[in-house]
């Protein structure tokens, strides 16, 4: 079995809300690890993460410990950076055994061809300001300058404020299936160039949705902000579906 989830946003909200989210996520990891061939964390697992050479954000002890425990047991866990946790380095891989991907990946799972991506910074050619912001945030030079010039306490305080502002602005948006069309278009283009693709899996939009057309399915994983978290599961025969936890 293969499990996919995204947009947990650990650290979001007040201390009580954040701890409750972390505890729910740990319970989900325990549950799916019972029969998982692999677990895919498809971005924005953390509401903000900036990793210095020797410093990581305070908190998330239960999740980090659980990830290390599961990989020590032989469970494969793959982490895809999102727009809230793009500033990862090698901590999760070295300390927790989690394979980290900094770009979308095309994988063969249970005999199916699957393209996996968080979904940010895709098909945004008509949004110049967003493209500029993404370029700045992904710049290695600017990231190094930020880490050298800004004390971690100030960096994390700023990052948490910025992430919270970004997340709250998206919550005000009324997301509908039509809001997902720009990523569905991206999936169609990808399918045209990679004809064997069976499934495309996205996070990012905080809206669970299963789109099917012809020989392509596009799944949006939803998020963990409500009472029910959404995720996807693929069985050993290659059947995939959205579930709630």
């Amino acid at each position: 079995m293969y499990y996919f989830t995204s947009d947990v946003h650990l650290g979001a909200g007040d201390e009580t809300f954040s701890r409750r989210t972390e505890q729910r996520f740990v319970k989900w990891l325990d549950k799916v690890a019972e029969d998982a061939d692999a677990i895919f964390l498809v971005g924005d697992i953390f509401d903000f993460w900036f990793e210095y050479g020797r410093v990581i954000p305070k908190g998330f002890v239960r999740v980090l410990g659980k990830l290390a425990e599961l990989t020590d047991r032989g469970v494969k866990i793959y982490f895809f950076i999102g727009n809230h946790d793009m500033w990862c380095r090698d901590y999760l891989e070295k300390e927790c055994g989690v394979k980290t991907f900094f770009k979308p990946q095309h994988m063969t799972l249970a005999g199916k061809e699957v393209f996996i991506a968080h979904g940010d910074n895709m098909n945004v050619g008509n949004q110049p300001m967003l493209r500029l912001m993404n370029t700045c945030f992904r710049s290695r030079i600017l990231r190094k300058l930020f880490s050298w010039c800004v004390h971690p306490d100030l960096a994390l305080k700023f990052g948490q404020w910025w992430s919270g502002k970004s997340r709250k602005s998206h919550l005000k948006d009324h997301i509908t299936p039509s809001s997902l069309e720009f990523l569905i278009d991206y999936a169609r283009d990808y399918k045209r160039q990679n004809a064997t693709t069976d499934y495309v899996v996205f996070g990012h939009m905080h809206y669970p949705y299963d789109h099917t057309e012809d020989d392509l399915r596009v799944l949006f994983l939803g998020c963990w902000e409500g009472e029910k978290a959404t995720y996807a599961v693929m069985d050993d025969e290659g059947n995939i579906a959205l579930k709630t936890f």
Side-chain angles (χ1 to χ4, degrees):
M1 305 285 276
Y2 299 94
Y3 294 92
F4 307 79
T5 196
S6 71
D7 297 277
V8 183
H9 287 277
L10 294 168
D14 60 26
E15 186 175 346
T16 300
F17 181 86
S18 177
R19 180 60 54 82
R20 185 168 67 246
T21 302
E22 183 178 20
Q23 290 171 336
R24 290 171 64 207
F25 185 50
V26 168
K27 288 180 180 178
W28 180 82
L29 288 170
D30 272 330
K31 177 179 182 294
V32 301
E34 294 175 0
D35 61 358
D37 292 294
I39 300 170
F40 294 84
L41 309 178
V42 191
D44 284 2
I45 302 305
F46 304 97
D47 195 50
F48 178 72
W49 182 278
F50 189 92
E51 189 176 323
Y52 286 75
R54 294 181 178 271
V55 177
I56 63 168
K58 180 180 179 180
F60 322 122
V61 174
R62 290 160 184 79
V63 167
L64 296 176
K66 181 57 63 176
L67 294 175
E69 174 197 331
L70 295 181
T71 58
D72 284 348
R73 282 165 37 189
V75 179
K76 294 179 181 178
I77 301 179
Y78 301 109
F79 178 86
F80 292 70
I81 65 163
N83 52 303
H84 282 253
D85 41 27
M86 69 175 74
W87 304 280
C88 289
R89 295 177 63 166
D90 59 2
Y91 180 84
L92 292 175
E93 195 150 344
K94 286 186 174 180
E95 298 297 328
C96 302
V98 174
K99 174 65 176 175
T100 301
F101 292 110
F102 295 87
K103 295 181 179 180
Q105 298 292 312
H106 189 120
M107 297 183 174
T108 303
L109 306 173
K112 298 292 185 178
E113 298 298 314
V114 187
F115 178 75
I116 307 166
H118 180 62
D120 66 306
N121 203 30
M122 288 181 159
N123 209 8
V124 293
N126 61 341
Q127 301 181 60
M129 290 304 298
L130 179 58
R131 290 173 60 195
L132 175 62
M133 185 172 65
N134 284 332
T135 299
C136 292
F137 283 163
R138 285 171 168 79
S139 168
R140 291 187 178 182
I141 294 175
L142 292 179
R143 174 176 164 174
K144 284 185 179 295
L145 288 173
F146 187 77
S147 65
W148 289 341
C149 299
V150 183
H151 187 280
D153 285 349
L154 294 176
L156 295 177
K157 187 174 183 179
F158 169 78
Q160 288 163 354
W161 170 80
W162 181 270
S163 292
K165 180 180 178 182
S166 172
R167 178 170 36 79
K168 288 175 183 177
S169 69
H170 286 127
L171 288 176
K172 295 177 183 178
D173 297 336
H174 182 59
I175 303 297
T176 65
S178 63
S179 306
L180 312 177
E181 192 64 28
F182 74 105
L183 284 175
I184 294 174
D185 282 342
Y186 184 97
R188 292 183 183 121
D189 289 340
Y190 186 84
K191 172 72 173 180
R192 281 192 283 269
Q193 299 175 44
N194 301 270
T196 59
T197 305
D198 297 297
Y199 303 136
V200 175
V201 178
F202 289 126
H204 187 51
M205 295 303 293
H206 293 210
Y207 187 90
Y209 189 64
D210 187 344
H211 175 84
T212 302
E213 58 181 52
D214 299 328
D215 56 350
L216 174 67
R217 281 180 69 186
V218 186
L219 286 93
F220 294 85
L221 297 172
C223 66
W224 284 65
E225 289 167 341
E227 291 300 317
K228 292 183 179 181
T230 59
Y231 64 100
V233 57
M234 180 189 292
D235 64 24
D236 295 335
E237 296 180 355
N239 302 305
I240 193 168
L242 291 174
K243 303 287 185 179
T244 59
F245 178 73

